[in-house]
Amino acid sequence: MREKTYHLYLNEEERSRVIQSLIELKNNLAAQELGHAQLSINSESYSRRDMGFQAVCIGYMICKKYGVDTQNFAINRIPEGLASKEPKEIRAELSKTRNAMAEIHSHISDEMFRKKQERSKDYER
């Protein structure tokens, strides 16, 4: 039986809203959902269940980077499927996670810069 795969695609406006939620509300669930979204964009076949741990890791790294509470992330339990892989396969999975994190970080940085520019313009008025 073939598992259904779902892709979560965020257009720029939706991505901006999720990033704003993360920045303003310090929402760790938004960080994890950004992880799922980016992993689905970067993958030819995406399974939310199979990539859940990677999304949790991405959410954790994003929150850690931006000072959002990370207590709710269960990153200490490595899934059986990942633990049983060969080192080369594990490195490939970690590479996917790192790349997704870097892309999300880039979008967040761009959004924060854009917001800072808007505030500067408002201040000048």
Side-chain angles (χ1 to χ4, degrees):
M1 186 170 150
R2 188 171 167 192
E3 181 181 335
K4 289 184 179 179
T5 60
Y6 299 94
H7 289 270
L8 174 62
Y9 176 75
L10 298 176
N11 64 35
E12 285 304 312
E13 183 179 326
E14 291 165 333
R15 183 188 303 255
S16 180
R17 283 197 309 261
V18 172
I19 290 171
Q20 281 306 112
S21 172
L22 174 65
I23 294 168
E24 293 172 5
L25 304 176
K26 297 198 178 263
N27 184 335
N28 56 19
L29 181 58
Q32 185 172 334
E33 287 306 313
L34 283 170
H36 276 291
Q38 193 63 52
L39 287 167
S40 73
I41 290 167
N42 294 355
S43 299
E44 290 180 21
S45 65
Y46 174 78
S47 167
R48 187 174 176 89
R49 184 187 64 179
D50 292 344
M51 293 193 173
F53 182 70
Q54 283 114 320
V56 168
C57 290
I58 291 167
Y60 175 85
M61 290 186 290
I62 291 169
C63 288
K64 200 74 167 162
K65 175 111 180 122
Y66 292 101
V68 178
D69 181 36
T70 58
Q71 286 183 342
N72 295 327
F73 289 102
I75 60 167
N76 58 342
R77 293 186 303 263
I78 298 173
E80 179 73 28
L82 185 60
S84 64
K85 289 187 176 193
E86 293 295 318
K88 189 174 183 176
E89 294 172 307
I90 292 172
R91 280 192 297 278
E93 294 300 318
L94 291 173
S95 180
K96 289 179 197 175
T97 304
R98 183 179 56 247
N99 291 341
M101 164 58 185
E103 290 178 47
I104 294 167
H105 170 62
S106 174
H107 288 291
I108 292 171
S109 294
D110 291 348
E111 185 67 21
M112 291 176 79
F113 180 77
R114 189 182 65 75
K115 283 291 188 187
K116 186 177 180 181
Q117 294 296 91
E118 286 177 6
R119 283 194 303 269
S120 292
K121 287 179 184 176
D122 289 344
Y123 183 72
E124 290 172 1
R125 292 179 194 174

